[in-house]
Amino acid sequence: MPANDLKELIGWLKANPDKASAAIVTVGVHLVTALFAKETGTQFAMVPYRGTARPCKTWSPAKSTSFDLPVQLPLMRAGSIKAYAVTSEARLATASDIPTAGEQGLPALTSSTWFGFFAPKGTPADIVAKLNAAAVGALDDPAVRSRFIALGLEIFPRERQTPEALGALVKADAAKWWPIIRESGIKME
C-alpha cells in the first residue's frame, strides 16, 4: 500500500475504488470496515477469512486492509504491514505510537473490542454481585492485566466494571451498530 498515513490511505482508496480488499475475520471487523467505508466514502471488496491468523499468511498486503490491530501488531512491528490508526478512544498502551482515528479527523470511527460476562435474565442480584466481584478481582491481578495488555486488550477503568456499565455499553453499541448493519446489508451466516 503506497499510503504512509490515514489521510493518504483514504485518498488512495478513493482514487482506486476497485483495487482494495478488506480481510474480514469476524463480524466486528466487518462492522468496523463498513463504518470506515461509510465515514470516508471509500469501498472495499470484502474478503472473508476463517480466523485472524489466516490473513497474515494469505492476503495481499499491497492491496488489502484489516481492522484487527492486536493480531496484526507483531507484523506491523516487523515492518511487514502498516498501521494507520487505532479505533479506540485513546491510543493503546502497546501501540502508543499509532494515533487514533479521532486524532486524525475521524471521531466517529471509534470501536473497541470488549468482553463481558452475562447471566440469564432473572439471576438473583446477590449472584450477579458475586460474579462481578470475581471478574473485577481477576482483572486486578497483575498477571492477568499484563497478559491482556500483551494481547493488545485494554482493561476498562473500575467504574466501568459493573453490571450497570455493561448494560449501558450494550445499549450504546446496539444503537451505534444496528444502523451500520442495516445500511451495509450484513447478514448472519
Side-chain angles (χ1 to χ4, degrees), residues 8-45:
E8 287 181 16
L9 174 65
I10 294 166
W12 186 89
L13 291 168
K14 287 181 177 182
N16 299 278
D18 58 341
K19 293 184 180 175
S21 62
I24 305 300
V25 294
T26 66
V27 173
V29 169
H30 197 161
L31 288 171
V32 175
T33 304
L35 178 62
F36 178 84
K38 176 186 174 192
E39 292 296 318
T40 61
T42 58
Q43 61 187 23
F44 301 90

Side-chain angles (χ1 to χ4, degrees), residues 77 86 91-100 103:
R77 294 285 184 229
V86 295
R91 292 186 184 207
L92 299 177
T94 55
S96 61
D97 56 320
I98 304 171
T100 68
E103 290 175 309

Side-chain angles (χ1 to χ4, degrees), residues 7 11 17 23 40 44 50 68 79 83 102 115 120 125 127 129 144 147 178 180:
K7 183 178 178 181
T40 61
F44 301 90
R50 292 184 183 192
D68 200 17
F115 299 90
I127 301 298
V144 171
R147 180 66 179 141
W178 274 116
I180 301 297

